[in-house]
């Protein structure tokens, strides 16, 4: 009992310590954007590299998210005889809920994993120490540009994913299930507001920032050896995934309340 | 080198540039440094020897502030490195060059960009001047014309030498070499020994060299210090070390396992 309590307290302390370290790390990464603004020469190739690489996978997932939503939602609504509403529900999910979340999860695996592995390798081969000895601040130099790139790229790629998801959902609903095209779009326009688009974008900006910071942090924390890098990469993905899901829940709740407060 | 008197304690002659005062460092339950005191005089080349895993690299990283001691202090040119804020430390490091044990070249940069990294950050050389300096440093380490190669295309020994070129590019006052000759063939090892001596003479640089290579140690050292079990157990001129009465030191420098096994077996 005492030992259980002891180890729980110990875990709690190390959790708080970790949170402190992560906050300080994030703080200096964000501050880096102002202190020593990353050069275009550094940030553009980075964005090309991580952005372009992710386009195929993001388009594929976007299309399937749209199509599977159509299958599920049409099925449910058909039983209630309310198929004409399907456009509104599918497209709402795509722009404000499932779309941003799934895009972010895929990008956490694709971009985040690659970043954690790259920085983890730099850590264990002492390249990060070498940067320090040459007068560069590794957080400013490595993390800030990656954080900024994620902040921009994740929402951009999410827009691609949303666009293709909307097309996928439309094709399945209208062409395959023969929902009236007119009602499909009419209901969409009736029920989806700019607000929902805005919510989706704000979420994916948060997801982008979280992926950038968490994955770089885990890379920096890598322990010696190839095994250390592998573990850092896995940890980076798991932590990003949790941050995305938990963040999404609270943001949904928050924006719901805000909406009620502002408009109802 | 006869003008620099040597002594067998842990204080260098003349004005010390680097002072390590009673430094303790542990990682988890592993106590690596257990009260290290050491001083390095200006223009001196101090060689640190010791068994694998005894903490030589850790000690070197304390000198340049990559690691902070649990207790004790590291002083460079009267400024305390061990507690210095990050920004100030970055300035002081301009005066250091470090050669890492595993070279630590930046994978995504060419050889040229690796060597030029410090120059780009700390000088406003024109592209031409930069190329000339890089070519010169590469020539010194015997790697003429390799500017455009990527680190992945180099052998271990070549990487090490690029690492040396990168460390000396800014002509720093203090050079820290972590096993600069390990993994090089005997001839190239001697080229590096000569280079260490030349850098020391031409720039009056202060050097700390960690090595297992006793031939190299005798050649470049003003003094040799032996690290054992987290402490400096002996410091002295190469001659003094060669004629040591300390059995641990004597065994190490002769590379004999025999006695150790005998004592271990009683
Ligand atoms: N960052 C670190 N975290 C945990 N342990 C460390 C760290 N750095 C070094 N150690 C441990 O400290 C000890 C000394 O390591 P160090 O690299 O200084 O040895 P060394 O004397 O340089 O050995 P070698 O000659 O093999 O390079 C080792 O047991 C190592 O595992
Ligand atoms: Mg070492």
């Amino acid at each position: 009992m005492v030992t259980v309590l002891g180890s729980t307290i110990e875990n709690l302390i190390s959790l708080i310590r970790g949170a402190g370290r992560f906050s300080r790390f994030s703080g200096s990464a964000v501050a880096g954007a102002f202190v020593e603004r990353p050069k275009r020469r550094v940030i553009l190739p980075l964005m090309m590299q991580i952005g372009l690489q992710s386009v195929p996978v993001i388009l594929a997932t976007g299309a399937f998210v749209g199509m599977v939503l159509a299958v599920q939602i049409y099925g449910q609504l058909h039983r209630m005889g309310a198929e004409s509403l399907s456009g509104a529900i599918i497209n709402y999910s795509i722009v404000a809920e499932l779309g941003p979340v799934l895009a972010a999860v895929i990008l956490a695996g694709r971009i985040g994993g690659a970043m954690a592995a790259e920085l983890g390798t730099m850590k264990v081969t002492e390249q990060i120490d070498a940067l320090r000895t040459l007068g560069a601040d590794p957080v400013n130099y490595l993390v800030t540009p990656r954080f900024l790139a994620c902040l921009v790229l994740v929402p951009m790629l999410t827009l691609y994913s949303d666009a293709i998801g909307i097309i996928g959902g439309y094709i399945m609903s209208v062409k395959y299930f023969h929902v009236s095209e007119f009602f499909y779009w009419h209901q969409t326009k009736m029920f989806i507001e700019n607000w929902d688009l805005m919510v989706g974008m704000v979420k994916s900006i948060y997801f982008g920032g979280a992926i950038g910071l968490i994955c770089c942090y885990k890379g920096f924390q890598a322990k010696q050896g190839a095994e250390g890098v592998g573990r850092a990469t896995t940890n980076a993905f798991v932590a990003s995934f949790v941050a995305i899901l938990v963040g999404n829940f609270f943001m949904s709740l928050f924006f719901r309340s805000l909406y009620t407060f502002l408009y109802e | 080198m006869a003008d620099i008197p040597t002594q067998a304690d842990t204080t260098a002659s003349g004005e010390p540039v680097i002072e390590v005062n009673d430094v303790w460092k542990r990682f988890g339950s592993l106590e690596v440094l257990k009260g290290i005191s050491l001083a390095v005089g200006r223009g001196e080349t101090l060689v640190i020897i010791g068994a694998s895993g005894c903490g030589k690299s850790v000690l070197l990283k304390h000198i340049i502030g990559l690691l902070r001691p649990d207790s004790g202090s590291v002083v460079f040119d009267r400024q305390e490195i061990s507690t210095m804020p990050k920004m100030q430390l970055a300035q002081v490091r301009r005066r250091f060059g470090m050669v890492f044990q595993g070279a630590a070249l930046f994978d995504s940069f060419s050889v040229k960009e690796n060597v030029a990294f410090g120059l780009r950050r700390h000088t406003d050389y024109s592209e031409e001047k930069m190329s000339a300096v890089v070519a010169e440093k590469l020539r010194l380490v015997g790697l003429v014309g390799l500017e455009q190669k990527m680190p992945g295309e180099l052998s271990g020994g070549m990487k090490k030498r690029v690492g040396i070129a990168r460390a000396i590019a800014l002509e720093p006052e203090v050079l820290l070499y972590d096993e600069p000759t390990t993994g090089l063939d005997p001839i190239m090892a001697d080229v590096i020994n000569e280079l260490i001596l030349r850098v020391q003479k031409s720039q009056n640089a202060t050097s700390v060299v960690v090595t297992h290579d006793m031939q190299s140690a005798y050649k470049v050292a003003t003094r040799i210090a032996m690290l054992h079990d987290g402490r400096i157990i002996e410091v002295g001129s190469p001659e003094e070390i060669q004629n040591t009465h300390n059995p641990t030191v004597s065994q190490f420098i002769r590379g004999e396992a025999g006695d150790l096994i005998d004592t271990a077996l009683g």
Side-chain angles (χ1 to χ4, degrees), chain A residues 36 126-127 134 137 141, chain B residues 61 105 107 109 121-122:
Chain A
E36 190 182 348
E126 298 183 315
Q127 290 177 55
L134 292 165
D137 181 318
Y141 188 79
Chain B
K61 285 182 184 171
L105 300 186
D107 289 327
F109 289 171
R121 293 196 72 86
H122 293 294

Side-chain angles (χ1 to χ4, degrees), chain A residues 78-133:
Chain A
H78 182 63
R79 266 183 243 163
M80 305 174 211
E83 303 93 296
S84 62
L85 278 175
S86 59
I89 300 178
I90 293 167
N91 288 325
Y92 173 76
S93 277
I94 290 172
V95 299
E97 287 292 337
L98 204 56
V101 169
L102 281 180
V105 168
I106 295 295
L107 292 173
R110 187 76 185 76
I111 303 177
M115 287 191 316
E118 187 191 5
L119 298 191
T121 304
M122 292 189 74
K123 169 76 192 305
V124 305
T125 57
E126 298 183 315
Q127 290 177 55
I128 290 181
D129 281 343
L131 278 176
R132 282 203 185 96
T133 64

Side-chain angles (χ1 to χ4, degrees), chain A residues 50-175:
Chain A
I50 57 188
L52 280 182
Q53 276 179 355
S54 316
V55 169
V57 67
I58 208 71
L59 292 185
T61 39
F64 279 99
V65 168
M67 294 193 295
V68 81
L69 277 172
V71 174
Q72 290 176 356
I73 289 169
Y74 173 82
Q76 294 291 315
L77 291 179
H78 182 63
R79 266 183 243 163
M80 305 174 211
E83 303 93 296
S84 62
L85 278 175
S86 59
I89 300 178
I90 293 167
N91 288 325
Y92 173 76
S93 277
I94 290 172
V95 299
E97 287 292 337
L98 204 56
V101 169
L102 281 180
V105 168
I106 295 295
L107 292 173
R110 187 76 185 76
I111 303 177
M115 287 191 316
E118 187 191 5
L119 298 191
T121 304
M122 292 189 74
K123 169 76 192 305
V124 305
T125 57
E126 298 183 315
Q127 290 177 55
I128 290 181
D129 281 343
L131 278 176
R132 282 203 185 96
T133 64
L134 292 165
D137 181 318
V139 174
N140 286 357
Y141 188 79
L142 297 170
V143 181
T144 302
R146 282 169 178 75
F147 165 70
L148 292 177
C150 286
L151 214 54
V152 176
L153 282 173
V154 170
M156 253 170 65
L157 291 164
T158 301
L159 280 180
Y160 286 2
S161 154
D162 287 357
I164 202 113
I166 289 171
I167 297 170
Y170 159 77
I171 291 175
M172 282 309 284
S173 308
V174 174
K175 303 290 174 200

Side-chain angles (χ1 to χ4, degrees), chain A residues 240-253:
Chain A
S240 305
F241 193 39
V242 172
I244 290 166
L245 290 185
V246 173
N248 182 56
F249 169 74
F250 284 108
M251 281 188 289
S252 293
L253 205 62

Side-chain angles (χ1 to χ4, degrees), chain A residues 184-193:
Chain A
Y184 189 84
W185 292 120
H186 181 70
Q187 298 292 6
T188 300
K189 272 183 245 155
M190 284 270 294
F191 289 105
I192 297 188
E193 306 169 41

Side-chain angles (χ1 to χ4, degrees), chain B residues 57 101 178-179:
Chain B
S57 299
Q101 190 167 352
D178 200 343
E179 305 197 9

